Structures are given as structure tokens and as C-alpha cells.
Amino acid sequence: ASYRPPSAGPAHPVLVGKGITFDTGGISIKTNAGMREMKTDMAGGAAVLAAVDAAARLQLPVAVTALVAAAENSPSGTSYRPGDVVRHVGGRTTEVRNTDAEGRLVLADGLAHARRELGATALVDVATLTGAMKTALGARTAGLYASADGLADALLTAAGHAGEPFWRMPLTDAHVGHLRAQLDSPVADANNAPGNPGSTTAALFLQPFTGGLPWAHLDIAGPARAGSDDADLVKGGTGFAARTLLRWLEAGAPVELPGPVIRD
């Protein structure tokens, strides 16, 4: 879904959403309890579509595209398997070690396609990607990884206005450089299950597909769904991240802020 008003400038952010319509885990199957909420594993895709729809309805003066990487992850005779090597958009390869790490595979293709074919000038992906993120930050706060401080600050400012709590996670070599070796594979460019810390190694898996563009990764595994009604939330899917993205688009989708960010 794309929106481009006549007044739009050259900036073209592309929002890439994980759209796994149901996630059983595939051949690396989840437990029954772990599967019950997986109808909302498409929450990232829903959020980016909602943001672009709202931008169009509000006639914001910025071009934006939502790209939803959609698939069903279920075991069948044609399922992908542990040990397979997947070739992505652009030619990069991944060794599959766990079929329940499927979200990063479809997001990788979405990011590469946005960069190569859609003329993206900035990339933001949104996904219920890792249980590790929910373990780290709980059910009400999402994690934010970013390749540039300006984009991170712009999104955190938008999130503050939207009332959606995000916490920035480290992605610099000083913090995570030693983790990159965990992605190594003897048969491919990377493997899809590099281990803990799971949310950070998932972000590191995605980063090469961005081609150096300003990029942010929003892991909304916790707040994408609510177990009960609470304030402005109702039980079930929450639409988390849609309001933050809309606030960012209202500000012109900046990848740099005009002045320093004042933090408490």
C-alpha cells in the first residue's frame, strides 16, 4: 500500500511489517500453549497498513509505502525444513536451523525488496519477532533497534507523543560486535537461529538486508496483544506501533531531529 501526495518531497520511507497469518512454528512446532495467540503474529503488518491508511486519510505531505511480508507458518509436505538453505531477494542466503524463526526470513525479503525495488530512503520494520523481547521488557514495552541515532530519537519522540512505550536496545559494535559470529553458517551467509540474546541477534540478522539505509527495527512482541482490557486498550490485538508511526509521518518522517533530544 502506497501513499504519495503531489506535495511530497524526495523522502520515501517504507514500513515493512511481519504478516505471519498464523504461526504454528512449522516443523519446529510450538507447544499448544505457545500457539494460542499466534493469530496476532501479523500485528506488525497490520500496524504498518494502519499507519499508511491514516496518513492518506489525514492527507499528510509525505510519501510512504507499507510492505507486508505475509505467509502462514504450518507443517506440511511442502514446508521448509531445518537444514534448508533459503536464498533471499538480492541473493543473500540463510541456513534454516529453526523453522519457528520464520519472521526474520520474510522481513529480510521485505527489507531487501523495499531497498532494491521501491526506492526506499529509510526503512522501519515492525514485528512480533521474539519471545526474548517480551522477556526483556515485559508485555507493555516494545524494543527499538536503529542504525542511526537521529532516526531512533525521532521515533522515540513520536512514541512519546503517541503514548506508546518503547525502549532503545543497543546495536553498536561496542555492545554487540562479538555477537555477529553467532550468525555464522558453514553453508550460507547466516543462520536463522543464532541464540541469545535472542532479540538482538534477530536484529543483527536483519541488518545486512537494509543496505546501509537508515533503518529501525521495532520488536513489538509484548504490547502487540493484551490479555485484558486496560485503559485505552481492549483484550486482544492492540494496534501497537501504528500511532507512533503516524506521529513520525506527521513530523515528516525525519531521520534526523533539528535539535538535541532532552531526556529525563
Side-chain angles (χ1 to χ4, degrees), residues 22 25 27 96 106 109 182 186 224 230 262:
F22 195 89
I27 289 173
V96 177
V106 297
D109 280 341
Q182 293 178 210
D230 181 32
I262 299 174

Side-chain angles (χ1 to χ4, degrees), residues 41-102:
D41 208 23
M42 34 56 69
V48 300
L49 287 173
V52 172
D53 179 67
R57 290 172 184 268
L58 293 171
Q59 299 182 335
L60 299 185
V62 61
V64 59
T65 295
L67 175 62
V68 177
E72 179 106 347
N73 190 23
S74 293
S76 79
T78 57
S79 295
Y80 79 135
R81 302 155 299 186
D84 282 353
V85 173
V86 174
R87 186 174 299 277
H88 295 277
V89 171
R92 188 173 170 85
T93 56
T94 297
E95 177 194 358
V96 177
R97 293 187 179 173
N98 185 337
T99 66
D100 197 21
E102 85 295 331

